[in-house]
């Protein structure tokens, strides 16, 4: 297998669909040797679920069949690949390559034994499309890369993306999870960052990728979330453990997760007769992988020492699974029999090449010893020649850097160059490269037996890779980020199955680092009050607040603390957002049409455990139609148990609270003085009418005063009629509102963790408030 540069995608994806709108996806990660299978029914004509998966995996290759079996009105996965991943290589394979029976056999044979892939048999018939996609994907990888995948070496997951919280690609962009919006306009020096950039303090490439995957697909299993939070509790309360783990993880190479794929993929055999340039490169990668694995295994004793006294379940399991597993000791012993003890992984190019040439112990192969002498002689000759040139040509500043592509090369300041240098240096460089290549090829022949022995236990390397990535994320990202904040600024969220979404004094995780005086705001939603309508003038903080709530939920569900005083959450299965307004030129959609398509997707896919945030729905069309759409969407959401936050300029929507007791009205506080607005960015209960705030901004923007005054008279008459109508509604539904508020308080007490005496006191207080008419 080829090396990658770390940040580049390493996923190969196979896609297939049937006429019933079912899509099968097989995503093969060449870097970590894992296979992720998904099968689902597309509920959107725009293939929103598939689009989300493609943007999550960012594939380097997409494999599709030639037949476009899209249902009527659907774009088809092949066309979607062209549209969403236009710069990605697309491979069309014959329909016969998508063989679900063959795929089932392959997956069963390649799935790792440890951790055991139990229950695979039950998936085969249910997920026949993703099995077909797996067959085509594996066939292409083995043919294209010239490898054979080792049996029982792959980590296989089924329906991976839907076992986690689902965040569609539009919401990922709206919430600035991976990239800040308008990043190309802000420039590289902008302080505005995404949630991913804020947490990206991981040390390994695998840890960074795991962090990205968790942000795009947070957990929704409460037990797993709490296991991570327990680990974080221990790290934050035990400084010695935290700093000890930080130091232990530094001993592992950044590319440790990549080493696994070189043992999972077995290349065609290298023999004395086949000594090509391609085999020379492959041999170098093989040697580098064994050196990297040796370095990683050498770091395990220190990790074991640090974890020995750990109390949390997660760290305790890591100790039992990794530190007490004798197979790692056995692999290290086998490596020590062949590889020189002084050889260590390094990122310095020439030192790395030297280590590769001298990896195998001396005397193992006579031709290898000869190639090593040639390599040393040419390296020494190059340095001697450089010293000679410095004297003969008066070049005291001449340097001879080294990189893997060019080998040695001269670095001379432009002012020192006088004519051309002799070609002898180039000849020596070619000889040095040739000697290194010969060393790699001979070393690879010596290492074949060792490679085969390691492949027998490749499944334990899968576990090691996963564990190191998880520890990197927990320690170097989550714990590190929290440790850099003032004490008690971040808190652990509590999770319930059907309880409220309650956050006290929450702050925006990204913006609080930019603005020191960021104003905290809370949220409370429950089954008895499942919709909040947020009003306020332009620039008062509504959009920031919506984003803030979603980001805190995501942070909590990846197992991290959140910026708040207190939080209790119901695990969310999907986050939907409808934010921003702009035309979609690529799909020939106006602002309003784009808005309606996004809203339709939300309405079609919402569940009772979803979180929906909508910002200014319906303002891109006529005022009457926009208001009608916004009202009807609110009524649809109110009928569900999903939690919804609705930000709007339409003050008439506040009338919903007079008819539906499960609607809460909130507003952002603004002071108006001398026709100027002073934004407080403080969220308060109830509605507040700020007269003519749009007209104030219009006046500041330079609209003629006569136009502004006329607009004021017109809006005053409209507002007067609306206020009278709302007063009538309030009187009509007053008794229903009172009953509902009592029920809401009772539900809150149901999910509280107070003792019996406190509960009795709270119930008595509620009774007195109700009798006295104070519960308003």
């Amino acid at each position: 297998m080829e090396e990658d540069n770390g940040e580049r995608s390493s996923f190969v994806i196979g896609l297939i669909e049937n006429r019933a709108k079912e899509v099968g996806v097989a995503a093969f990660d060449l870097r970590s040797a894992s296979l992720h299978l998904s099968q689902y029914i597309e509920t959107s004509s725009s293939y929103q679920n598939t689009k989300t998966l493609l943007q999550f995996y960012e594939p380097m290759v997409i494999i599709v069949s030639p037949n476009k079996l899209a249902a009527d009105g659907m774009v088809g996965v092949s066309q979607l690949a062209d549209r969403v991943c236009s710069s990605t290589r697309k491979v069309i394979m014959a329909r016969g390559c998508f063989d679900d029976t063959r795929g089932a056999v392959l997956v069963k044979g390649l799935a790792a034994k440890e951790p055991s892939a139990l229950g695979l048999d039950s998936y085969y018939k249910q997920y026949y499309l993703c099995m077909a996609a797996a067959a085509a994907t594996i066939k292409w990888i083995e043919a294209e890369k010239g490898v054979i995948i080792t049996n029982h070496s792959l980590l296989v997951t089924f329906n991976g993306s839907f076992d986690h919280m689902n965040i569609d690609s539009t919401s990922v962009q709206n919430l600035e999870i991976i990239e800040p919006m308008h990043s190309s306009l802000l420039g590289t020096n902008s302080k505005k960052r995404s949630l991913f950039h804020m947490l990206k303090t991981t040390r390994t490439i695998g840890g960074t990728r795991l962090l990205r995957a968790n942000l795009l697909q947070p957990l929704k299993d409460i037990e797993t979330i709490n296991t991570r939070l327990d680990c974080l509790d221990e790290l934050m309360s035990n400084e010695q453990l935290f700093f000890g783990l930080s130091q232990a993880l530094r001993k592992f190479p950044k590319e440790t997760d990549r080493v696994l794929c070189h043992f999972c993929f077995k290349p065609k055999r290298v023999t004395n007769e086949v000594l090509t340039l391609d085999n020379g490169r492959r041999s170098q990668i093989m040697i580098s992988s064994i050196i990297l694995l040796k370095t990683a295994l050498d770091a395990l004793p220190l990790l074991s020492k640090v974890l020995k006294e750990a109390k949390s379940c997660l760290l305790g399991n890591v100790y039992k699974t990794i530190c007490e597993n004798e197979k790692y000791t056995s692999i290290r012993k086998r490596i020590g029999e062949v590889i020189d003890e002084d050889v260590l992984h390094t990122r310095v190019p020439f030192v790395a090449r030297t280590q590769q040439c001298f990896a195998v112990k001396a005397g193992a192969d006579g031709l290898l010893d000869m190639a090593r002498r040639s390599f040393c002689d040419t390296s020494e000759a190059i340095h001697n020649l450089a010293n000679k040139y410095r004297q003969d040509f008066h070049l005291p500043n001449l340097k001879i850097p080294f990189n893997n592509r060019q080998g040695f090369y001269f670095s001379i300041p432009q002012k020192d160059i006088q004519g051309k240098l002799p070609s002898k240096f180039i000849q020596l460089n070619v000889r040095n490269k040739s000697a290194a290549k010969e060393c790699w090829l001979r070393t690879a022949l010596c290492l074949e037996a060792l490679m085969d022995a390691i492949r027998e236990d490749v499944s334990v390397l899968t576990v090691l890779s996963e564990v190191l990535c998880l520890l990197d994320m927990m320690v170097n990202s989550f714990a590190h980020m929290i440790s850099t904040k003032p004490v008690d600024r971040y808190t652990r969220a509590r999770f319930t199955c059907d309880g409220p979404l309650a956050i006290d004094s929450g702050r925006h995780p990204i913006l609080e680092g930019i603005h020191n005086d960021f104003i905290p705001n809370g949220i409370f939603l429950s089954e008895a009050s499942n919709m909040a309508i947020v009003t306020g003038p332009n620039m008062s903080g509504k959009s920031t607040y919506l984003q803030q709530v979603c980001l805190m939920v995501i942070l909590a569900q990846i197992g991290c603390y959140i910026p708040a005083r207190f939080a209790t959450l119901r695990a969310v299965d999907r986050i939907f957002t409808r934010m921003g307004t702009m035309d979609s030129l690529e799909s020939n959609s106006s602002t309003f049409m784009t808005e309606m398509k996004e809203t339709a997707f939300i309405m079609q896919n919402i569940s009772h455990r979803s979180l929906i945030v909508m910002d200014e729905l319906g303002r891109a069309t006529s005022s009457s139609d926009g208001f009608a759409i916004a009202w009807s969407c609110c009524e649809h959401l109110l009928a569900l148990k999903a939690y919804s936050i609705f930000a709007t300029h339409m003050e008439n929507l506040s009338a919903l609270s007079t008819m539906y007791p499960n609607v809460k009205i909130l507003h952002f506080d603004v002071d108006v003085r001398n026709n100027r607005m002073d934004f407080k960015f403080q969220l308060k209960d109830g509605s507040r009418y700020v007269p003519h705030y749009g007209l104030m901004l219009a006046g500041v923007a330079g609209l003629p005063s006569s136009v502004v005054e006329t607009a004021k008279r017109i809006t005053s008459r409209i507002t007067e009629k609306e206020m009278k109508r709302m007063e009538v509604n309030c009187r009509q539904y007053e008794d229903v509102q009172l009953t509902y508020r009592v029920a809401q308080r009772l539900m809150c007490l149901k999910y509280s963790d107070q003792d019996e005496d406190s509960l009795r006191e709270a119930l008595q207080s509620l009774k007195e408030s109700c009798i006295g008419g104070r519960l308003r």
Side-chain angles (χ1 to χ4, degrees), residues 734 738 741 765-776:
E734 186 174 9
L738 178 61
R741 288 194 185 98
S765 175
L766 178 61
K767 178 181 177 180
E768 293 172 358
S769 297
C770 190
I771 294 173
R774 298 193 303 273
L775 196 66
R776 291 285 186 261

Side-chain angles (χ1 to χ4, degrees), residues 659-697:
M659 302 173 62
Y660 297 97
N662 50 333
V663 177
K664 179 186 293 186
I665 305 297
L666 305 167
H667 71 273
F668 274 96
D669 192 23
V670 177
D671 278 348
V672 180
R673 297 176 184 174
N674 302 322
N675 286 332
R676 310 277 304 181
M677 287 186 289
D678 179 18
F679 298 107
K680 302 298 184 183
F681 304 109
Q682 185 72 52
L683 192 66
K684 294 189 175 181
D685 288 335
S687 60
R688 186 197 171 191
Y689 175 59
V690 181
H692 315 315
Y693 65 79
L695 300 179
M696 291 182 199
L697 291 176

Side-chain angles (χ1 to χ4, degrees), residues 46-57:
S46 60
Y47 280 66
Q48 188 64 50
N49 288 324
T50 308
K51 181 181 176 183
T52 298
L53 277 180
L54 288 176
Q55 295 192 348
F56 169 71
Y57 289 121

Side-chain angles (χ1 to χ4, degrees), residues 651-652 654-655 658 687-690 715-731:
E651 293 172 348
N652 295 351
S654 299
T658 65
S687 60
R688 186 197 171 191
Y689 175 59
V690 181
T715 192
S716 294
R717 290 198 293 270
I718 296 172
T719 303
E720 185 179 353
K721 292 180 181 179
E722 187 58 32
M723 294 298 290
K724 289 180 180 178
R725 188 177 66 81
M726 288 185 66
E727 288 176 8
V728 171
N729 284 341
C730 285
R731 288 194 296 270

Side-chain angles (χ1 to χ4, degrees), residues 200-393:
K200 191 180 172 183
T201 51
T202 47
R203 291 198 68 258
T204 67
I205 296 168
T208 302
R209 293 188 176 196
L210 181 63
L211 171 64
R212 180 182 180 275
N214 273 261
L215 289 173
L216 291 175
Q217 295 182 346
L219 302 168
K220 64 181 184 183
D221 178 66
I222 295 177
E223 184 179 353
T224 308
I225 296 170
N226 282 329
T227 299
R228 287 190 182 181
L229 290 171
D230 290 342
C231 171
L232 204 53
D233 285 347
E234 184 174 18
L235 289 172
M236 300 319 299
S237 61
N238 187 338
E239 288 188 6
Q240 185 176 356
L241 176 64
F242 172 42
F243 289 113
L245 268 178
S246 298
Q247 293 301 315
L249 291 173
R250 288 178 182 273
K251 301 294 184 181
F252 291 89
K254 291 182 65 175
E255 307 88 349
T256 300
D257 70 305
R258 191 191 71 216
V259 81
L260 177 64
C261 72
H262 299 304
F263 299 105
C264 292
F265 303 105
K266 186 173 182 178
K268 292 177 181 177
R269 199 168 182 82
V270 180
T271 64
N272 288 317
E273 292 75 26
V274 185
L275 298 177
T276 64
L277 177 64
D278 182 53
N279 281 329
R281 177 63 177 154
R282 285 186 176 183
S283 299
Q284 182 190 15
I285 294 172
M286 178 201 295
I287 301 162
S288 177
S289 299
I290 290 183
I291 295 173
L292 192 146
L293 177 58
K294 173 183 175 294
T295 306
L297 295 177
D298 284 343
L300 280 180
L302 178 58
L303 180 66
S304 176
K305 181 181 178 181
V306 174
L307 288 176
K308 191 171 185 179
E309 302 301 326
K311 301 292 190 297
S312 63
C313 178
L314 190 152
L315 296 181
N317 285 339
V318 169
Y319 181 79
K320 292 176 184 177
T321 306
I322 302 296
C323 304
E324 293 185 345
N325 193 330
E326 293 299 324
K327 287 189 177 181
Y328 295 107
T329 306
S330 174
I331 294 173
R332 177 62 183 87
K333 183 178 179 181
R334 290 295 302 269
I335 292 174
E337 292 171 358
V338 182
I339 301 297
D340 192 284
E341 284 298 319
D342 295 331
V343 172
L344 290 174
H345 172 73
T346 177
R347 298 176 65 86
V348 181
F350 183 68
V351 177
R353 176 171 288 191
T354 304
Q355 296 269 30
Q356 291 157 10
C357 290
F358 288 84
V360 173
K361 290 182 176 179
D365 183 275
L367 293 176
L368 173 58
D369 293 339
M370 290 176 59
R372 285 172 172 173
R373 282 195 293 271
S374 177
F375 174 77
C376 292
D377 291 343
T378 51
S379 299
E380 185 178 1
I382 287 172
H383 284 85
N384 290 338
L385 189 62
N387 290 330
K388 186 174 184 300
Y389 285 172
R390 289 189 186 99
Q391 297 175 2
D392 293 352
F393 296 94

